[in-house]
Amino acid sequence: MLMIRCPVCGIAADETEFTSGGLYGRLEETENRVIPRDVVREWWLCARGCGTWFGMARHVVNQRVTATWAAGDEPWDGRH
Amino acid sequence: MRRPTRRYSILSLLKEARHGHSGWVEAWRKAEPRSSYDVVIVGAGGHGIATAYYLAKLHGIHNVAVLEKGWLGGGNTARNTGIIRSNYLRRESMALYGLSHSLFEHLSQELDFNVMFTPRGLVELAHTRQELAELSRIADANRHFGIKSWMIPTSEVHSLLPSLDQGSHKRFPLLGALYQPRGGFARHDAVAWAYARMASQLGVDIVENCGVESIIADGERIVGVQTSRGRIDAGTIMVAAAGESPPLLAPLGVNLPIEPVTLQAFVSEPLKPFLNPVVMSGAVHGYISQTAKGELVIGGGTDAYPSHSRRGAWPPIEDTVAAMLELFPFLSRVRLMRHWGGSVDITPDRSPLIGPAGPSGLYVNCGWGTGGFKAIPGSGFVTASMLATGKVPPIAVPFGLERFAAGRMIDESAASGVIH
């Protein structure tokens, strides 16, 4: 089970409190991308908390969540 | 020297009993890959193996290799609940799944292997007015296109399922059900083994532990595959690798709209027979059947996010067990013995992708999502015809990749029976 911390309101809870929203970035950048067996950056919604969409890095094989960030506050340069 | 015994029958059993069972041969050959074939199939799951069998059996193409990264039928063919039905909503789906269902009826005889097809009936429960309307629509479509499936009232549901919890105390009272009398289940492994055995006897090479790393194209034509055991040349290549298909085709400029998601299933300890038909329920969301051994095979919804792991998340397990207890509360003390997860390849419209893709000579058969097992015989049958003639057979035409760009989706998100 994923344990996620919302970077906006700070609530830490399991995956049932959040909603997955697909690959991070604008739709035209992500629509044809193959999901690799690796870490992916995704949109997630703090559905039962503050209601904000935020970014999250998750490994799609071992299901480890490595980072979450607020939109506009990405831990790398520029949007991807 | 006695001839080896290949056929399975009471006579061959008696013959072998007289000779200390020394004449049996392995069900299928462990083939070494050769450097070239007429047809290479990527993925030895049900769809790949069935295609190879029908190629050899019906089209006389025996120079075929089925390459498998892991082991025969070890992917989603081994990770499903074995349910067989054809009561889909769209006529395209009814044609494909209906063909498959009718092939299942005689599959054990055709393949000389007991696939344990058990048509005990399939009951899809309606617990809300909306579901009743939706299932009635499917029943009307089924009747119109000749699939034997219809709505039954609650009294008939209770006579089919005397153990189903009922009454006004239920949060979701029963309103009716969609009933397919010839629906049921088959032994999933046996289907893969049976096709593999017959395909192997017809000369098909099934090569396990041979992962395909890339597909090689020369200009506009396919020429072969690069595998973990060297290069293999072939003029016709079919990719039936479920969720592993998109990364294989992406370098060729083919984007398959497939998302890998984990779907879990469970088996309980064996119980005395109490459940004859397969029971599906959309509102509480679960599907349950009881095997000949007495175990309950239980399935539910997928995980809530894309995943390549074959180990599912906890919340769907809880939801599925809750669904089972809503239908059959007396099972609350029953223990689950086994649990597995498969990475299902879900398409936007929940219908499969069958057809040519990219360079000439390359075909796909994937995107079966949560309902591929029931389609194995029909899918293999039409795909073999497509590979042998180069023409897409009428049943498979609507399932081509171009349907997404053309807006001709075959939306089965309601009738596919699994919430995702």
Side-chain angles (χ1 to χ4, degrees):
Chain A
M1 184 146 59
L2 308 179
M3 297 303 290
I4 300 170
R5 190 185 152 276
C6 171
V8 180
C9 65
I11 280 178
D14 73 54
E15 63 186 55
T16 56
E17 311 282 313
F18 299 88
T19 305
S20 162
L23 292 175
Y24 199 73
R26 295 196 308 274
L27 188 62
E28 58 269 29
E29 298 167 341
T30 59
E31 61 181 353
N32 283 334
R33 217 179 306 151
V34 171
I35 295 174
R37 293 178 155 267
D38 203 349
V39 176
V40 294
R41 295 163 176 161
E42 294 177 311
W43 286 111
W44 279 75
L45 172 68
C46 187
R48 305 200 183 157
C50 65
T52 315
W53 286 97
F54 60 91
M56 184 170 109
R58 171 176 70 95
H59 197 296
V60 292
V61 181
N62 66 22
Q63 305 301 348
R64 230 166 257 152
V65 176
T66 41
T68 56
W69 61 87
D73 193 20
E74 289 84 5
W76 67 91
D77 291 340
R79 295 177 70 93
H80 180 62
Chain B
M1 187 68 194
R2 281 192 311 122
R3 289 180 55 176
T5 304
R6 290 186 197 280
R7 282 196 63 80
Y8 295 162
S9 72
I10 184 74
L11 292 175
S12 57
L13 198 60
L14 290 171
K15 181 185 135 201
E16 282 304 319
R18 286 186 55 225
H19 295 96
H21 292 284
S22 56
W24 298 111
V25 291
E26 56 189 357
W28 62 88
R29 287 175 294 117
K30 299 270 179 198
E32 287 297 312
R34 298 203 303 270
S35 62
S36 114
Y37 288 93
D38 292 342
V39 178
V40 161
I41 294 169
V42 183
H47 296 279
I49 289 283
T51 304
Y53 165 75
Y54 289 114
L55 267 178
K57 175 83 180 174
L58 301 177
H59 303 282
I61 300 173
H62 303 272
N63 190 13
V64 178
V66 186
L67 308 179
E68 170 57 48
K69 184 164 72 175
W71 63 97
L72 171 73
N76 292 335
T77 307
R79 296 160 198 273
N80 58 68
T81 48
I83 294 174
I84 291 160
R85 62 189 180 90
S86 49
N87 52 357
Y88 277 71
L89 174 62
R90 312 283 169 192
R91 61 175 181 194
E92 296 89 346
S93 313
M94 280 184 270
L96 182 59
Y97 293 99
L99 168 68
S100 199
H101 198 162
S102 61
L103 287 169
F104 257 117
E105 295 272 0
H106 305 287
L107 202 61
S108 294
Q109 291 85 341
E110 167 157 6
L111 299 177
D112 182 35
F113 197 107
N114 190 1
V115 301
M116 299 174 84
F117 173 56
T118 316
R120 294 191 194 168
L122 183 135
V123 181
E124 200 164 345
L125 306 175
H127 298 279
T128 64
R129 293 298 296 269
Q130 198 262 345
E131 263 190 318
L132 197 63
E134 202 145 287
L135 293 180
S136 301
R137 187 181 170 208
I138 293 176
D140 286 349
N142 290 164
R143 186 171 55 186
H144 191 78
F145 288 100
I147 301 280
K148 290 195 177 67
S149 151
W150 52 80
M151 294 303 288
I152 55 174
T154 50
S155 55
E156 205 173 326
V157 177
H158 292 312
S159 68
L160 284 167
L161 298 168
S163 49
L164 187 72
D165 192 33
Q166 51 176 304
S168 54
H169 64 285
K170 299 298 285 182
R171 184 176 175 204
F172 297 111
L174 185 67
L175 299 176
L178 179 65
Y179 179 47
Q180 184 167 30
R182 294 303 288 176
F185 48 85
R187 172 134 196 252
H188 49 195
D189 292 329
V191 172
W193 298 338
Y195 274 118
R197 173 167 164 266
M198 273 305 173
S200 181
Q201 287 186 12
L202 290 166
V204 171
D205 278 358
I206 298 162
V207 189
E208 292 167 305
N209 297 315
C210 179
V212 171
E213 287 152 0
S214 64
I215 297 168
I216 308 161
D218 182 12
E220 287 299 291
R221 222 192 126 92
I222 259 354
V223 290
V225 287
Q226 188 63 45
T227 75
S228 56
R229 292 165 74 175
R231 183 180 158 150
I232 298 172
D233 292 335
T236 303
I237 294 167
M238 204 266 288
V239 178
E244 300 299 321
S245 309
L248 271 179
L249 271 78
L252 300 167
V254 181
N255 293 304
L256 297 178
I258 284 177
E259 192 175 74
V261 184
T262 304
L263 178 62
Q264 306 177 72
F266 319 89
V267 170
S268 79
E269 58 190 328
L271 305 167
K272 285 186 176 174
F274 73 94
L275 183 64
N276 193 37
V278 180
V279 183
M280 303 175 67
S281 166
V284 301
H285 203 59
Y287 31 100
I288 303 164
S289 58
Q290 190 173 23
T291 66
K293 240 195 297 183
E295 299 162 341
L296 295 171
V297 183
I298 304 152
T302 63
D303 286 8
Y305 41 83
S307 163
H308 277 293
S309 58
R310 285 169 168 178
R311 178 198 61 185
W314 179 255
I317 300 178
E318 205 172 358
D319 290 349
T320 307
V321 169
M324 183 186 72
L325 294 184
E326 181 67 23
L327 301 174
F328 304 104
F330 64 91
L331 296 175
S332 63
R333 307 293 289 272
V334 170
R335 280 160 294 200
L336 295 178
M337 289 203 309
R338 294 193 299 279
H339 152 250
W340 62 88
S343 182
V344 296
D345 43 343
I346 292 182
T347 58
D349 59 358
R350 276 66 176 154
S351 288
L353 308 171
I354 305 173
S360 119
L362 181 62
Y363 299 88
V364 294
N365 177 339
C366 54
W368 288 96
T370 57
F373 172 74
K374 66 174 84 66
I376 285 172
S379 148
F381 192 91
V382 297
T383 312
S385 159
M386 177 171 76
L387 298 185
T389 62
K391 285 198 218 70
V392 185
I395 289 181
V397 166
F399 295 95
L401 266 83
E402 65 287 348
R403 73 173 186 268
F404 297 102
R408 283 188 287 100
M409 311 276 251
I410 306 164
D411 183 8
E412 290 292 3
S413 39
S416 69
V418 177
I419 293 176
H420 31 56

